[in-house]
Amino acid sequence: MDRRRFLQQAAIWSFSVPLVAHWPFSLPFSIDSVHAASEDTLRVKVGISKGKDYARLVRQSVGLVGGMSAFVKPGMNVVIKPNIAFDRSPEQAANTHPLVVRALAEMALEAGAAQVRIFDRTCNEPRRCYINSGIQPAIEAMANSKVRCEHIDNRKFVDTTIPQGRVLKRWEIYRDALEADCYINVPVAKHHGLARLTLGLKNSMGVLGGNRGRLHQRLDQNLADLATVIRPQLTVIDATRMLLRNGPSGGRLQDVRIENTVLASADPVAADACATLLFGRDPDQVGSTVAAAAMGLGTLQLNRIQRIEG
Amino acid sequence: MKKLPMPILLRSLSQLLFFLAFIVLFLRTDYQGQDELFGAVNLIFRIDPLVALAATLATRTFIALLLPALFVLLASLLLGRWFCGWVCPMGTLLDWSHPLLGRHNKPLPPALPRLRYLLLLLILVGALFGLPLVGFFDPFAILVRGLSMAVYPAFALAVEGLFTITYQHGPGWLNALSEPLYQALRASVLPFQQKVFTLALAAAAMLLTLFLLELIQRRFFCRNLCPLGALLGLAARCAPWRIANAQKTCSACGHCSTLCRTGAINEQSQVNPERCVLCLDCLSRCPQQNFRFGHLQNPPTPIAEGLSRRAFVGTALTGITVPFLFAIRPFKKQPNPKLIRPPGALAEAEFLGRCVRCGECMQVCIGNAIHPAFTEAGIEGLFTPRVIPRIGYCEYLCTLCGQVCPTGAIKRLPVEEKKTVVIGRAYIDRNRCLPFAQGVPCLVCEEHCPTPQKAIQYREATVLNNRGQTMTVKQPYVIGDRCIGCGICENKCPLPGRSAILVTSAGESRREVSQWQDGYG
């Protein structure tokens, strides 16, 4: 090592280590935090696009945060996790829009994915949800054997310990979600009685087994704990239509606002924070976003988020 | 293997084909990917003249759904009990079980076969006077109930268990073989979700009994008990096409009378058309080929098998009087709050008259919400459908139970109408509900409530939790007028054991009595 190299290294490390330490609650061996801090910018990117062509919106938003090839490498097993929780039609805004899911599947294939799996553990009867949400028909219309819209297979739930969990120490988690090379979380932005809003972090409950209702008793912290093990590489929030009242199941078109917006980010917390703004609320009004930020899982402060509108 | 004679081969083939058709319809009694089912999956009950007759007598209305039954009855007027020998899946199963159970022909009282006429009479008179019995003796009701409530779920559990072991513990090469097989089974014969049923054992025992009776006598049920067979046998009295013995050359060797599976041939080799199921065994097996099937110009006087006057009057009187005894129990005035009927169910009296207790609605229910009632509707309501929300809830936009009910006991509802049908109403047990009882957030019931304007609302309240801390929690409450009683709240309530939100039949749409008439006072 020559002198110049030594000085360079010394400068970088002395600059970056205090930054890492400054991150609230980040663990000393948390590789993600070190990695995030040594990026050229501290600002986290969230791509936001508006328009009526939903497939184009998805491409644009993901393009603004680096494009699908930044997340999906050739040969990867990709999981796309939309919200298919309710037996509702697309315009009722209780589930992710089928065109958004389909666009992501197509993009993953274009980036070279070996396999794309799409699933959700629903609240209503699974077959009715898959079909009436429009997601299963949209995926089947692709007629590509690499893309599969699958029903949950109960044999695949794995009892998983959550070492960093503060209140949630273990739960049954779906194997495909844990083993995916690239996990893309695709929530729909909507109202929720207890959580106020359900966005990306809440959408992760769709890969959980067991009696999920119990998680409501400390929902915010449980979701943050869960986010330490279910870590989407990419979060795409569908705000093409937003359910404003009577969520999360909805059912009345009066409660739906057409927003024609799609957000994308590699930072799950920042994505939720930006989606919260669409409802006219501050990001810190959604408890799970706050709890996850407090655990160092992403960025909540808007001045640290670079909202790229396209 | 010895070669089967042509007539028997044809009959066996017919039995096999009809049985396969029955199984296919049974398996298709499930959500098929659209709101409306394709095909008449309940056909087996709609061609049943006994069900048609009993339901018609009970409701005193013409039930168009049951029109196909007329064809079976007309065909029996021409051909006799061909249905029992060639079509009936219960009879087919009993025939198939015969080699397993062995040959038994115990001497039995000769009057025993008359029991089926007694049963038939009791069922029909009972139906007319309000004692619904057809579901307990109709062979298809016993069969489908046993299959849907017990055999099929148990079969599914066994197969799922096997493939769970291979998937979770098997080596890779095994899974390469077993997983495609498992997916193929899932797509064809396995149910989408594992179901449970409250009276699984009772339904299984009843079906098993029919097989055990084979140990006493071949086709014991068909000979002595089956009221449907009795009805078709009555029609067979005037059937011009039948099997008869050309008496002139008969040496009365007695081979045919021991051979006959329904005991239709007596010592003198005369064939009783009320018992003969046209299995054609005698045609092929008579050493002298003495039996013929054909059109008889002058049918010989049938071997009389009627009831004595005393038995007839006694049975009819039983059918007339028992319903009045049944009517003086309290729940006939004031319904059992735990008895939640499926959406579209008719008012209780008419419902009980029509319901065959066939289990079709339970087989098709995608939420596993519908279960056989035990005594909630009285003993005559045994096996009738009842929603138990803690086990399964009624899916908001699903109308399948009304689509498969063969007698219209559960009305077929358009989706828009179904949304407004009230099967019960929820109430909150504040002694258990977490935000009330412990100051802990929850609101799972509100999250799932499917009415577009939620029937479960919440208000914020500041309460002390169990540790004495002041907490602001959202406490749920039910808006009765919006609640339809689907029970998803009771089902999803995360408390262990009993739910903190419960549905009772209060406010159900099918009750015609207005609230100011309720009660005993």
Side-chain angles (χ1 to χ4, degrees), chain B residues 49-63 66 120-131 134 231 350 353-354:
Chain B
L50 177 69
V51 165
L53 197 55
T56 308
L57 286 174
T59 58
R60 295 166 194 86
T61 46
F62 171 74
I63 301 169
L66 295 170
L120 175 66
L121 185 66
L122 189 64
I123 286 168
L124 296 181
V125 177
L128 189 63
F129 286 88
L131 176 69
V134 63
L231 183 65
E350 199 183 348
R354 286 201 190 205

Side-chain angles (χ1 to χ4, degrees), chain A residues 219-284:
Chain A
L219 186 65
D220 299 340
Q221 189 56 48
N222 279 327
L223 290 181
D225 289 349
L226 205 56
T228 63
V229 284
I230 301 166
R231 314 202 72 157
Q233 277 71 31
L234 174 64
T235 301
V236 177
I237 300 186
D238 169 17
T240 54
R241 318 122 300 146
M242 299 201 312
L243 185 60
L244 304 177
R245 291 170 294 276
N246 288 307
S249 53
R252 288 206 315 166
L253 294 182
Q254 299 99 296
D255 295 337
V256 176
R257 189 170 85 204
I258 306 297
E259 190 72 18
N260 290 332
T261 304
V262 170
L263 298 86
S265 179
D267 181 328
V269 180
D272 279 11
C274 290
T276 309
L277 295 174
L278 297 175
F279 289 86
R281 290 180 178 273
D282 289 332
D284 56 11

Side-chain angles (χ1 to χ4, degrees), chain A residues 11-155:
Chain A
I12 287 170
W13 280 103
S14 56
F15 183 63
S16 59
V17 167
L19 273 176
V20 173
H22 186 71
W23 272 58
F25 308 111
S26 70
L27 297 168
F29 301 111
S30 171
I31 292 155
D32 287 323
S33 316
V34 175
H35 179 70
S38 61
E39 291 277 331
D40 57 346
T41 172
L42 287 173
R43 280 159 72 88
V44 176
K45 288 178 189 164
V46 176
I48 304 169
S49 329
K50 285 182 183 285
K52 288 185 177 167
D53 181 350
Y54 295 163
R56 197 188 56 81
L57 282 189
V58 176
R59 285 183 184 274
Q60 206 168 336
S61 299
V62 176
L64 291 171
V65 293
M68 192 55 96
S69 55
F71 304 98
V72 175
K73 307 293 178 209
M76 274 188 169
N77 282 321
V78 176
V79 162
I80 296 175
K81 163 62 182 74
N83 188 332
I84 328 178
F86 293 98
D87 179 13
R88 298 290 193 212
S89 61
E91 65 272 13
Q92 289 172 324
N95 303 312
T96 308
H97 199 286
L99 292 177
V100 172
V101 182
R102 185 182 164 143
L104 282 168
E106 284 168 352
M107 290 159 68
L109 285 181
E110 287 159 20
Q115 194 170 48
V116 180
R117 286 198 162 99
I118 297 156
F119 53 80
D120 187 16
R121 185 173 163 212
T122 61
C123 294
N124 292 145
E125 208 273 337
R127 290 169 296 180
R128 291 192 64 94
C129 296
Y130 272 48
I131 291 170
N132 295 334
S133 67
I135 291 174
Q136 186 183 323
I139 296 305
E140 280 171 358
M142 288 173 69
N144 188 321
S145 60
K146 288 182 183 174
V147 185
R148 290 216 301 259
C149 186
E150 298 174 328
H151 282 294
I152 292 290
D153 180 342
N154 286 323
R155 304 172 303 168

Side-chain angles (χ1 to χ4, degrees), chain B residues 138 193 260 383 472:
Chain B
D138 181 80
Q193 269 164 336
C260 181
F383 290 120
T472 300

